[in-house]
């Protein structure tokens, strides 16, 4: 149970977690008991922990709702430019604690719940993660929503309310097994259904060209039911909206087609329509061209654009009339950011609305469309790029295919005019890929249909310009930008690491929470012995707490003084968990060879999910678990080396492991990781990084100084050189005895004695088709790990390097990223205006709402 605050702590009342205040506590207790009694159960003696969680969630939600309504009223009256962030994924995690922090209620809630005889941490653990994303792309979207609200932008997240999120991962006998993530089974206290804004979405059908224009007819209709989730900014009373669409069959679905009266079958077939929002596709950095996925992509786009246009037409300084019928000002009022190519069908859909429904001439519609959209590219891996078969698009969205063809024709006419007789350039730049199955290159559609294209780290944006989309960048160099990713410090410091957050606030004040660049002030304390000890103490406390969690969950005794060496992210060949595994085997062999030699104890923690259809990734998980089984049960090794595979890695588990980490593994092959954001989370929480010069690691090294990271391995130019010469894995195997020993052990069945050939596919891949060149970086990696161990022996020197890293982490706030998007792409200014809270009167211009006007959505 949480302990009560001491008098000293009460006096301190660090504002980053909110003020305690007797009135606040009493009000929260009243709200809690009211919700427990009226909403849930009549008798506290029969209340379950889940009842208590829901009572607390509803109590905190009460504090959100007034601010939410007032924010939306403010937007309706002032009519600022709206920002729409379209994403197929929002990996939100849990909401309760984040809401308490952003509303400044954390300390008061802690105290209120304690006085009610409950443990707030226990209640927080009951909440399901909203796992509506796969990894970095979805979590980035969630961080961006937090930053947009904190910066006072009139922003909306639009996506799909998947009934089943990213699968729950179970490890059975070392293998990954997937279970459905039924995250809504107990209800979701944070969402509000808005049936009054339900919208139709059309599929299939045919196109009619008439004298009065083009019509898309004989379509199948699916209804999009919106669910709104509040997104509070940090301590500014702004509450924005994330609107997620759920698919519903119309009441007459299929019934018109059943002349013989098969009513029962028609009702059962409603599932076919509602399957659209049933489940998140569990692929990360891999394109799976399934019809249901294309339906999802168009579903979110079609519903969202109708909503955007409704709001554009109706929203004008408090007027209740539909005043806007002219679209000239559309790009001045609306900015739409496409989070990768997944929502790319928004481009032809907006053109369809403008041309077919609003009757705009093509050239004007195209000009407005281009000025409205901007596209973020998230990967350069060819297997991840979306390329939809023309036949599928023609069947599902026949009018959109016509529009895409028209866009392409005009685009190619322009290229042909600029580069006469350059047929190869036309082929390279076409939106349609010929040869074999004709496909639509969705990245090309996004580039042609947007006014801005950005990568997500400096190195990635350079590769996008100079290699992947070189022809396009040569044509329009000013269109291409960089926006290095960031993370929200609210969740990734205040929430997950309160000890460190408060220690920093004591040293430099609490303004850093809104302006993370202020962390640079910590450079003054790098040589402060007391601060060094305090930082080390916070880390040790986090490690002890996490070691207890591991012991409880995995029944493995962990030495909290050992180095916590952590590699958590999606399992993928390019992220090179295999290289980490080879290092574990190398360490194991060294201990066995010389058991009495000084060895820096390590707990290696690897976690992450493999896409269910990704055979090699699943084999990598099995291998890690097989190696762990041998290492953890070898008495010669003892506590010197432990290996743990973290089951079901997700946002709420990241919040536990990241603050406890000493060494962060960011070891992708140079040129493969677009940015990474886990790397930033570890840096902010006082872990040191071992990594390649890939993604945002490059900028982390720039900010902190390369000497304060453990950088190793091939750089971009080295990889290019090796590709040119040809990568030969055998050479490294023949030259490096420790690598040979580790590989031979895997091949011979040393780690799979019941099935000696179990890992034959893995070894075969490493020798014959390893695109990510694990053996080429193995030697440099092992040597770099030796430097890590050497520094870890000197606790003071290690902690000083930690402080330098934290002090250099300011750039990697998503607040900075969003300010750059706002100024360079959306052309809006962030606002530090604080909307008055619900218990204070609105002022001046805010009072111009017509009497009785409710908050508009």
């Amino acid at each position: 149970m949480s302990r009560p605050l001491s008098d000293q702590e009460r006096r301190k009342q660090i504002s980053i977690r909110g003020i305690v205040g007797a009135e606040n506590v009493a009000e929260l207790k009243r709200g809690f008991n009211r919700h427990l009694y009226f909403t849930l159960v009549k008798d506290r003696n029969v209340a379950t922990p889940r009842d208590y969680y829901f009572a607390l969630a509803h109590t905190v939600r009460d504090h959100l709702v007034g601010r939410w309504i007032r924010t939306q009223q403010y937007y309706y009256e002032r009519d600022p430019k709206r920002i729409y962030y379209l994403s197929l994924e929002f990996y939100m995690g849990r909401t309760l604690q984040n809401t308490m922090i952003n509303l400044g209620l954390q300390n008061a809630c802690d105290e209120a719940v304690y006085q009610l005889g409950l443990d707030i941490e226990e209640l927080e653990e009951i909440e399901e993660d909203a796992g509506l994303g796969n990894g970095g792309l979805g979590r980035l979207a969630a961080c961006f929503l937090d930053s947009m609200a904190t910066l006072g932008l009139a922003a909306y997240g639009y996506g799909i309310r998947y009934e089943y999120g990213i699968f729950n991962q179970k490890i059975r006998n070392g293998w990954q097994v997937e279970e459905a993530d039924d995250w809504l089974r107990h209800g979701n206290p944070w969402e509000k259904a808005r049936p009054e804004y339900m919208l139709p979405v059309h599929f299939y059908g045919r196109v009619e060209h008439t004298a009065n224009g083009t019509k898309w007819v004989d379509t199948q209709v699916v209804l999009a039911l919106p669910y709104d989730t509040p997104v509070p900014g940090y301590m500014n009373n702004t509450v924005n909206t994330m609107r997620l669409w759920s698919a519903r069959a119309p009441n007459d679905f299929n019934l018109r087609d059943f002349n013989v009266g098969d009513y029962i079958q028609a009702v059962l077939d409603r599932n076919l329509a509602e399957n659209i929002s049933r489940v998140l596709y569990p692929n990360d950095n891999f394109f799976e061209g399934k019809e249901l996925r294309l339906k999802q992509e168009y579903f979110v786009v079609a519903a969202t654009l109708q909503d955007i246009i409704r709001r554009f037409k109706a929203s004008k300084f408090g007027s209740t009339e539909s005043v806007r019928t002219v679209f000239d000002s559309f790009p001045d009022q609306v900015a739409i950011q496409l989070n990768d190519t997944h929502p790319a069908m928004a481009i032809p859909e907006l053109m369809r609305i403008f041309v077919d429904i609003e009757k705009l001439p093509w050239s004007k519609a195209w000009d407005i469309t281009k000025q409205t959209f901007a596209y973020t590219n998230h990967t350069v891996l060819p297997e991840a790029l979306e390329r939809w078969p023309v036949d599928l698009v023609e069947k599902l969205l026949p009018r959109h295919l016509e529009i895409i063809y028209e866009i392409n024709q005009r685009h190619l006419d322009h290229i042909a005019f600029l580069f006469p007789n350059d047929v190869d350039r036309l082929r390279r730049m076409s939106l349609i890929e010929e040869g074999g199955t004709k496909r639509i290159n969705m990245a090309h559609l996004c580039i042609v249909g947007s006014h801005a294209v950005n990568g997500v780290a400096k190195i990635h944006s350079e590769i996008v310009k100079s290699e992947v989309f070189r022809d396009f960048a040569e044509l329009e160099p000013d269109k291409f930008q960089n926006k290095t990713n960031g993370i929200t410090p609210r969740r990734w410091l205040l929430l997950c690491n309160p000890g460190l957050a408060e220690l920093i606030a004591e040293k430099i004040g609490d303004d850093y929470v809104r302006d993370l660049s202020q962390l640079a002030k910590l450079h003054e304390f790098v040589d402060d012995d007391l601060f060094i000890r305090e930082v080390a103490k916070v880390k040790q406390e986090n490690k002890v707490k996490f070691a207890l969690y591991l012991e409880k969950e995995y029944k493995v005794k962990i030495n909290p003084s050992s180095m916590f060496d952590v590699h958590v992210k999606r399992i993928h060949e390019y992220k090179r968990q295999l290289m980490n595994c080879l290092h574990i085997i190398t360490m194991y062999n060294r201990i066995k060879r010389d058991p009495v030699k000084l060895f820096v104890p390590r707990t290696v923690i690897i976690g992450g999910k493999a896409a269910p259809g990704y055979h090699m990734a699943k084999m990598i998980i099995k291998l890690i678990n097989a190696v762990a089984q041998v290492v953890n049960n070898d008495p010669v090794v003892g506590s010197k080396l432990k290996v743990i595979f973290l089951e079901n890695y997700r946002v709420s588990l990241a919040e536990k492991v990241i603050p406890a980490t000493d060494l962060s593994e960011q070891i992708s092959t140079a040129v493969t990781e677009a940015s990474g954001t886990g790397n930033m989370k570890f840096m902010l929480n006082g872990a040191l990084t071992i990594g390649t010069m890939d993604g945002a690691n490059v900028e982390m090294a720039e900010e902190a100084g390369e000497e304060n990271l453990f950088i190793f391995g091939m750089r971009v130019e080295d990889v290019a050189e090796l590709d040119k010469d040809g990568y030969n894995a055998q050479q490294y195997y023949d030259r490096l005895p420790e690598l040979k020993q580790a590989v031979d052990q895997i091949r011979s069945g040393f780690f799979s004695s019941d099935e000696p050939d179990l890992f034959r596919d893995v070894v075969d891949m490493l020798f014959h088709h390893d695109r990510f060149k694990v053996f080429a970086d193995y030697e440099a990696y092992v040597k770099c790990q030796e430097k890590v161990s050497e520094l870890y022996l000197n606790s003071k020197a290690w902690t000083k390097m930690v402080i330098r890293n934290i002090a250099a982490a300011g750039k990697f706030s998503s607040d900075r990223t969003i300010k750059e998007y706002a100024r360079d792409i959306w052309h809006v200014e962030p606002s530090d205006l604080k909307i008055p809270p619900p218990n204070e009167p609105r002022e001046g211009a805010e009072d111009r709402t017509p009497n009785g006007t409710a908050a508009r959505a």
Side-chain angles (χ1 to χ4, degrees):
M1 188 175 289
S2 304
R3 59 177 179 76
L5 296 165
S6 69
D7 288 341
Q8 184 187 4
E9 286 169 319
R10 284 180 204 280
R11 281 195 300 275
K12 189 162 56 173
Q13 287 184 337
I14 288 176
S15 60
I16 55 171
R17 290 170 70 81
I19 291 181
V20 176
E23 287 176 30
N24 289 2
V25 172
E27 185 192 347
L28 287 163
K29 285 166 69 179
R30 283 195 299 274
F32 182 92
N33 285 320
R34 184 174 67 249
H35 281 295
L36 192 66
Y37 184 77
F38 288 111
T39 318
L40 300 162
V41 294
K42 301 294 182 194
D43 183 358
R44 269 195 73 170
N45 294 322
V46 298
T48 65
R50 179 160 278 107
D51 292 325
Y52 291 134
Y53 159 72
F54 272 92
L56 180 58
H58 284 115
T59 304
V60 172
R61 193 185 67 179
D62 290 344
H63 287 257
L64 261 182
V65 170
R67 291 170 170 85
W68 196 9
I69 291 169
R70 186 164 275 198
T71 300
Q72 301 310 312
Q73 282 176 335
Y74 180 81
Y75 293 159
Y76 180 64
E77 292 157 14
R78 295 295 177 91
D79 198 22
K81 183 171 185 177
R82 272 35 175 233
I83 313 303
Y84 296 103
Y85 197 83
L86 267 63
S87 181
L88 268 284
E89 302 185 17
F90 287 94
Y91 202 172
M92 302 298 285
R94 292 171 175 164
T95 297
L96 174 60
Q97 196 181 356
N98 186 248
T99 304
M100 292 191 295
I101 284 170
N102 280 11
L103 294 185
L105 290 173
Q106 174 87 72
N107 277 341
C109 284
D110 283 353
E111 182 68 10
V113 169
Y114 177 80
Q115 288 183 17
L116 289 162
L118 300 166
D119 185 335
I120 197 161
E121 281 189 29
E122 244 174 58
L123 300 189
E124 287 163 357
E125 283 298 308
I126 288 164
E127 183 177 357
E128 299 277 352
D129 277 48
L132 308 185
N134 277 282
L137 177 146
R139 183 53 234 174
L140 184 81
C143 283
F144 278 4
L145 292 185
D146 180 272
S147 286
M148 289 189 284
T150 297
L151 293 168
L153 296 174
Y156 304 75
Y158 273 95
I160 294 178
R161 180 184 180 264
Y162 299 105
E163 200 175 312
Y164 295 90
I166 186 66
F167 61 86
N168 284 318
Q169 179 196 56
K170 300 287 183 197
I171 301 297
R172 302 220 172 101
N173 192 29
W175 295 99
Q176 168 177 299
V177 177
E178 300 87 27
E179 290 185 355
D181 170 39
D182 192 5
W183 72 290
L184 292 167
R185 68 190 176 281
H186 300 293
N188 175 7
W190 304 106
E191 68 182 7
K192 173 80 176 77
R194 304 300 299 270
E196 67 274 28
Y197 291 110
M198 187 142 59
L199 294 165
V201 175
H202 297 261
F203 294 101
Y204 304 108
R206 59 191 175 82
V207 181
E208 279 184 358
H209 295 278
T210 70
N212 297 322
T214 307
K215 291 180 180 173
W216 183 19
V217 297
D218 297 339
T219 56
Q220 288 184 19
V221 175
V222 176
L223 299 176
L225 171 64
Y227 284 79
D228 287 356
T229 300
V231 180
Y234 179 69
M235 305 280 268
N236 65 350
N237 297 325
T238 293
V239 181
N240 284 343
T241 302
M242 176 177 67
R243 177 162 285 183
L244 302 181
W245 301 102
S246 182
R248 292 287 186 275
N251 286 333
D252 63 351
F253 183 78
N254 270 7
L255 286 169
R256 290 163 299 175
D257 304 332
F258 282 84
N259 302 322
V260 292
D262 195 346
Y263 163 74
I264 297 295
Q265 190 58 46
V267 172
L268 295 180
D269 283 349
R270 292 169 63 85
N271 275 327
L272 299 174
E274 296 176 356
N275 279 340
I276 290 172
S277 58
R278 194 79 69 202
V279 61
L280 168 75
Y281 271 84
N283 299 313
D284 190 67
N285 277 300
F286 183 77
F287 170 60
E288 187 175 2
K290 294 282 175 29
E291 182 173 340
L292 179 60
R293 172 66 174 190
L294 183 57
K295 275 186 173 174
Q296 289 182 340
E297 292 185 356
Y298 179 67
F299 173 75
V300 66
V301 152
T304 298
L305 283 174
Q306 288 180 75
D307 217 31
I308 289 171
I309 287 170
R310 172 191 60 77
R311 198 177 285 115
F312 168 77
K313 285 181 171 180
S315 183
K316 182 70 176 172
F317 288 104
S319 169
T320 53
E321 296 170 25
S322 183
V323 294
R324 284 200 185 106
T325 53
V326 178
F327 286 91
D328 299 55
S329 65
F330 195 76
D332 300 323
Q333 290 299 121
V334 173
I336 303 176
Q337 191 70 38
L338 303 175
N339 194 25
D340 216 299
T341 57
H342 311 146
M345 290 306 293
I347 293 168
E349 172 67 5
L350 189 58
M351 285 298 289
R352 186 186 71 83
I353 293 167
F354 283 158
V355 174
D356 294 358
I357 298 169
E358 301 294 343
K359 306 299 182 187
L360 268 60
W362 179 281
S363 56
K364 184 173 187 176
W366 183 241
D367 188 47
I368 293 169
T369 296
K370 273 188 78 163
Q371 288 181 61
T372 300
F373 285 110
Y375 157 56
T376 301
N377 172 273
H378 280 275
T379 182
V380 298
L381 295 180
E383 65 267 35
L385 297 175
E386 290 196 298
R387 296 154 62 249
W388 286 106
V390 164
D391 291 348
L392 177 58
V393 177
E394 186 173 33
K395 179 176 83 158
L396 195 68
L397 303 165
R399 177 57 180 145
H400 296 76
L401 182 64
E402 289 186 351
I403 290 168
I404 289 167
Y405 273 144
E406 181 67 21
I407 292 169
N408 194 40
Q409 188 59 57
R410 290 171 182 242
H411 162 62
L412 292 181
D413 288 347
H414 179 57
I415 304 301
F417 173 75
L418 293 173
F419 304 94
N421 304 318
D422 194 343
V423 179
D424 200 46
R425 183 181 293 266
L426 290 177
R427 181 191 56 76
R428 292 197 308 268
M429 295 186 75
S430 177
L431 273 53
I432 310 296
E433 297 178 357
E434 308 282 350
T437 304
K438 281 172 79 170
R439 294 175 177 273
I440 304 167
N441 186 311
M442 302 308 276
H444 289 187
L445 174 61
C446 285
I447 293 166
V448 170
S450 298
H451 71 276
V453 175
N454 72 281
V456 289
K458 274 184 194 169
I459 184 175
H460 169 236
S461 296
E462 276 308 311
I463 292 160
V464 162
K465 276 172 72 171
S466 63
E467 293 178 35
V468 188
F469 303 126
R470 180 179 171 181
D471 292 319
F472 294 91
E474 284 175 0
L475 190 68
E476 297 180 282
D478 294 342
K479 181 183 274 193
F480 289 79
Q481 306 185 17
N482 173 242
K483 296 286 169 276
T484 299
N485 283 344
I487 58 171
T488 170
R490 272 71 64 181
R491 183 176 294 268
W492 298 112
L493 185 57
L494 269 68
L495 183 155
C496 71
N497 202 343
L500 182 59
E502 293 185 8
L503 180 58
I504 292 168
E506 284 172 20
K507 285 293 178 192
I508 65 170
D510 56 25
D511 287 349
Y512 78 90
V513 179
R514 271 198 212 80
D515 175 13
L516 206 64
S517 66
Q518 292 193 26
L519 288 180
K521 294 177 184 174
L522 291 175
H523 281 299
E524 297 169 31
F525 302 100
V526 169
D527 296 312
D528 180 325
D529 284 349
L530 177 61
F531 187 60
I532 292 166
R533 283 198 300 275
E534 286 173 327
V535 168
K537 180 167 174 273
V538 166
K539 177 63 72 179
Q540 195 54 37
E541 285 168 356
N542 291 338
K543 288 173 70 176
V544 167
K545 187 176 181 182
F546 191 63
L548 289 171
Y549 172 82
L550 290 178
E551 211 172 310
K552 181 161 95 42
E553 295 294 318
Y554 297 92
K555 311 294 182 270
V556 178
K557 185 81 175 154
I558 300 298
N559 172 10
S561 303
S562 65
M563 183 201 305
F564 283 18
D565 172 352
V566 178
H567 197 177
V568 285
K569 52 186 75 235
R570 283 298 289 250
I571 308 294
H572 200 297
E573 286 160 86
Y574 88 84
K575 293 176 186 284
R576 299 203 293 191
Q577 285 92 353
L578 271 176
M579 192 161 70
N580 191 343
C581 195
L582 288 171
H583 177 242
I584 292 167
I585 297 169
T586 301
M587 287 191 291
Y588 171 75
N589 289 333
R590 286 180 179 183
I591 293 167
K592 293 288 281 183
R593 205 159 46 240
D594 191 353
V596 295
K597 188 178 178 183
L598 176 67
F599 183 86
V600 177
R602 280 196 196 218
T603 300
V604 183
I605 298 166
I606 303 177
K609 294 175 181 177
Y614 189 174
H615 168 71
M616 188 54 63
K618 289 185 143 182
M619 289 306 303
I620 289 167
I621 290 174
K622 175 62 175 172
L623 176 61
I624 292 163
N625 281 301
V627 170
Q629 187 68 24
V630 171
V631 170
N632 296 345
N633 293 296
D634 192 318
V636 175
V637 175
S639 63
K640 288 178 180 174
L641 182 61
K642 292 287 179 204
V643 182
I644 290 178
F645 188 88
L646 268 191
E647 185 178 76
N648 204 30
Y649 183 63
R650 58 200 184 281
V651 174
S652 58
L653 190 46
E655 290 163 8
K656 293 180 173 69
V657 66
I658 290 170
T661 298
D662 292 307
L663 185 67
S664 155
E665 301 265 356
Q666 309 296 333
I667 59 176
S668 55
T669 315
V671 200
T672 62
E673 190 73 86
S675 168
T677 46
N679 45 5
M680 303 168 188
K681 291 161 195 165
F682 284 109
M683 183 187 200
L684 183 60
N685 281 276
L688 298 184
T689 302
I690 183 165
T692 51
M693 277 299 207
D694 196 26
N697 294 356
V698 176
E699 288 159 80
M700 287 163 53
E702 263 177 36
E703 294 294 304
E706 210 176 306
E707 70 280 4
N708 290 305
L709 280 78
F710 296 100
I711 298 292
F712 73 94
M714 295 179 290
R715 314 269 168 140
V716 175
E717 54 277 13
D718 301 318
V719 174
E721 189 68 29
L722 194 52
D723 281 333
K724 191 156 68 86
D725 296 343
Y727 168 62
N728 182 350
Q730 187 74 38
Q731 289 177 349
Y732 300 94
Y733 172 84
D734 292 339
R735 185 170 62 78
L736 302 167
E738 287 190 306
L739 174 62
K740 182 179 188 301
Q741 184 186 4
V743 172
D744 288 350
Q745 285 169 310
I746 296 169
R747 181 162 35 198
S748 68
F750 182 86
F751 299 106
S752 54
S753 51
D754 292 347
E755 212 178 325
D757 286 342
L758 182 60
F759 300 115
R760 180 186 288 165
D761 286 355
V762 177
V763 174
D764 184 54
M765 181 274 291
L766 285 169
F767 276 103
H768 303 298
H769 35 96
D770 178 12
R771 292 160 56 203
F772 306 107
K773 307 172 179 64
V774 168
F775 289 2
D777 272 342
Y778 166 85
E779 185 179 21
Y781 179 55
V782 171
K783 282 181 177 165
C784 195
Q785 288 281 18
E786 289 165 8
K787 288 185 195 164
V788 172
S789 292
E790 193 183 328
L791 186 67
Y792 192 75
L793 287 170
N794 184 340
S795 174
K796 186 174 180 179
W798 179 279
T799 307
K800 285 172 78 161
M801 197 182 278
V802 163
I803 294 165
R804 288 190 201 102
N805 271 267
I806 297 169
K811 174 179 178 176
F812 303 106
S813 169
S814 48
D815 297 347
R816 185 267 316 151
T817 312
I818 288 298
K819 281 178 188 169
E820 291 180 7
Y821 275 97
R823 289 168 183 159
D824 302 342
I825 296 177
W826 305 329
H827 307 302
V828 293
E829 272 299 315
S831 162
D832 55 6
L833 176 92
K834 189 170 181 179
I835 297 172
N839 57 347
E840 290 177 19
R842 292 186 298 156
E843 300 158 4
E846 292 176 50
D847 287 328
R848 290 195 299 208
T849 318
N851 285 339
T853 301
R856 300 301 175 104

